């Protein structure tokens, strides 16, 4: 285990932003932190990066404690913050040279070339950073995290706001880094990103890890149940929902009402019959298999994106 986080805790005044978080990450793993806005992902990462002091618990990176002396891990880690603004009057190449100098390093021509080529920014080396597209800026942010050849790379929402094509391009970079033996920990709001990239994900809500496993395993836990979604002419009362079958866990979402049922035919039968008795019209009834999005909804009662 190259990363070991124990009882990590952070308070902001009365708010418990990170509440006794525990997890470990293996060398060479891509590990994802998945959670809605305000869940505590950035706070957690920043404590691991030595940028934000925890109120409790500890972080070990390659056996070295990050606190109280974060300087000790500086050369071990690369960090891409959630929002990066670059000096607009500097070019792509100058930014990379500047970031390297923060680690007392001089980038060789070869290192510079390989970073630019990894990000697909060879043509942009002399472009001012304010002329880059959103996707190009995010990729520049990723490679600035690599100038010190870190073993552990932290990426805070590396693809938020990107179109699907640009997102895939960033995924390729992340996989390439994994191919080089790097350990990567990233945060995301995107389920498909977690499903595609991460060996394991931690689902975090209100500062707590509510589930941690391989994406496929998390889906399988729910997968024994079918997802039934529908809209109704009036909201269904909870008493009504309780009668639909013991297995039906009720949550409401943007799609309308969502139920998870192990015997969907039976649940739908009861649903339609009860609705008829109450004079409620049910429409847009769908039965599907759950996705990682649904795992999240089932665990937290919330959608990932708000
Ligand atoms: N410096 C701060 N002072 C006070 N409260 C803070 C501070 N930074 C974060 N918070 C609060 O702590 C909670 C967790 O914030 P954090 O930025 O860690 O969430 P996040 O999961 O990264 O969210 P997002 O997906 O929006 O980036 C939020 O309620 C936030 O408002
Ligand atoms: Mg954040």
């Amino acid at each position: 285990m190259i990363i070991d986080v124990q009882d990590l805790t952070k308070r902001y005044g009365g708010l418990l932003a990170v509440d006794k978080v525990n997890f470990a990450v293996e060398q060479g793993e891509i590990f994802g932190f998945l959670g809605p806005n305000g869940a505590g992902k950035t706070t957690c990462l920043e404590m691991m990066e030595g940028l934000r002091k925890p109120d409790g618990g500890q972080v070990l990176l390659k056996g070295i404690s990050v606190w109280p002396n974060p300087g000790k891990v500086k050369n071990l880690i690369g960090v891409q913050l959630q929002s990066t603004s670059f000096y607009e009057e500097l070019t792509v190449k100058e930014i990379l040279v500047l970031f390297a100098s923060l680690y007392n390093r001089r980038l060789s021509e070869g290192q510079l070339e390989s970073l630019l080529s990894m990000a697909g920014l060879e043509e942009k080396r002399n472009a001012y950073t304010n002329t880059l597209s959103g996707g190009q800026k995010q990729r520049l942010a990723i490679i600035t995290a690599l100038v010190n050849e870190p073993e552990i790379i932290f990426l805070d929402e590396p693809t938020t706001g990107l179109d699907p094509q640009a997102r895939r391009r960033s995924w390729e970079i992340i996989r390439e880094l994994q191919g080089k033996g790097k350990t990567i920990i990233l945060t995301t709001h995107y389920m498909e990103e977690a499903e595609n990239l991460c060996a394991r994900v931690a689902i975090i809500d209100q500062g707590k890890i509510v589930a941690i496993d391989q994406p496929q395993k998390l889906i399988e836990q729910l997968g024994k149940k079918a997802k039934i979604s529908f809209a109704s002419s009036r909201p269904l009362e909870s008493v009504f929902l309780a009668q639909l079958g013991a297995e039906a866990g009720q949550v409401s979402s943007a799609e309308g009402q969502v139920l998870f049922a192990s015997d969907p035919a039976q649940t739908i039968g009861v649903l339609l019959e009860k609705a008829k008795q109450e004079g409620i019209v049910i429409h847009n009834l769908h039965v599907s298999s759950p996705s990682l999005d649904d795992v999240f909804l089932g665990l937290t009662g919330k959608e990932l994106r708000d």
Side-chain angles (χ1 to χ4, degrees):
M1 292 295 173
I2 192 166
I3 300 177
D4 190 6
V5 172
Q6 297 163 2
D7 287 336
L8 198 60
T9 300
K10 180 74 190 178
R11 274 184 211 89
Y12 296 118
L15 175 80
L16 196 50
V18 174
D19 186 4
K20 291 205 171 153
V21 159
N22 286 282
F23 65 95
V25 180
E26 262 176 56
Q27 170 142 25
E29 193 176 350
I30 303 180
F31 185 88
F33 250 134
L34 203 62
N37 292 125
K41 304 181 295 294
T42 297
T43 303
C44 217
L45 244 55
E46 290 183 352
M47 290 190 287
M48 298 169 69
E49 295 158 356
L51 299 173
R52 205 173 282 260
K53 197 169 182 297
D55 291 315
Q58 66 165 343
V59 181
L60 299 173
L61 302 181
K62 238 186 153 180
I64 305 168
S65 180
V66 175
W67 297 98
N69 295 313
K72 283 190 194 162
V73 294
K74 187 178 160 192
N75 286 313
L76 188 62
I77 65 173
V79 173
Q80 181 225 331
L81 299 174
Q82 182 164 1
S83 51
T84 311
S85 34
F86 296 114
Y87 297 103
E88 296 189 345
E89 321 79 71
L90 294 185
T91 64
V92 167
K93 180 179 165 181
E94 287 164 344
I95 287 283
L96 290 166
V97 169
L98 171 70
F99 272 70
S101 73
L102 302 177
Y103 293 94
N104 293 322
R105 283 183 180 237
R106 280 193 54 182
L107 287 180
S108 70
E109 237 357 87
Q111 284 168 319
L112 192 65
E113 279 314 306
S114 93
L115 288 172
L116 289 171
S117 114
M118 180 181 275
L121 292 174
E122 301 97 320
E123 315 275 284
K124 295 287 180 184
R125 80 186 65 214
N126 294 319
Y128 290 103
T129 57
N130 61 352
T131 66
L132 298 179
S133 74
Q136 289 165 343
K137 272 189 195 141
Q138 304 260 61
R139 299 204 296 273
L140 175 59
I142 296 177
I143 57 172
T144 56
L146 308 177
V147 292
N148 60 330
E149 300 178 71
E151 288 180 51
I152 303 171
I153 300 159
F154 294 93
L155 305 172
D156 198 352
E157 298 196 21
T159 69
T160 293
L162 300 187
D163 65 48
Q165 198 187 346
R167 178 166 304 142
R168 275 168 203 285
R169 183 74 190 78
S170 296
W171 292 355
E172 281 169 26
I173 300 176
I174 294 167
R175 285 205 193 92
E176 192 177 331
L177 289 171
Q178 185 193 29
K180 293 183 173 164
K182 312 285 187 188
T183 305
I184 296 150
I185 168 156
L186 59 86
T187 71
T188 182
H189 295 156
Y190 302 108
M191 286 291 176
E192 29 143 19
E193 182 154 300
E195 282 190 64
N196 266 288
L197 278 182
C198 301
R200 284 185 311 139
V201 296
I203 296 184
I204 178 165
D205 186 37
Q206 294 182 6
K208 281 196 169 74
I209 292 185
V210 292
I212 185 166
D213 212 332
Q214 298 166 12
Q216 210 45 47
K217 290 257 170 67
L218 290 171
I219 295 169
E220 280 164 18
Q221 284 171 17
L222 254 192
K224 293 179 200 105
K225 298 183 182 176
K227 176 191 177 189
I228 303 168
S229 55
F230 58 92
S232 56
S233 56
R234 280 195 272 127
L236 302 182
E237 283 165 27
S238 51
V239 194
F240 182 123
L241 290 166
Q243 292 172 333
L244 293 177
E247 296 285 335
Q250 173 255 328
V251 268
S252 59
S253 79
E255 299 166 70
Q257 301 273 346
V258 178
L259 303 168
F260 296 103
S262 45
D263 185 351
Q266 202 247 341
T267 301
I268 290 171
V270 179
L271 169 72
L272 294 177
E273 196 184 303
K274 294 260 175 218
K276 201 171 168 189
Q277 283 167 13
E278 307 268 332
I280 296 172
V281 183
I282 301 287
H283 51 102
N284 272 340
L285 184 71
H286 289 285
V287 182
S288 54
S289 11
S291 65
L292 198 50
D293 257 312
D294 298 316
V295 173
F296 192 82
L297 187 62
L299 283 168
T300 66
K302 276 185 256 177
E303 300 279 342
L304 251 190
R305 274 152 278 177
D306 53 18

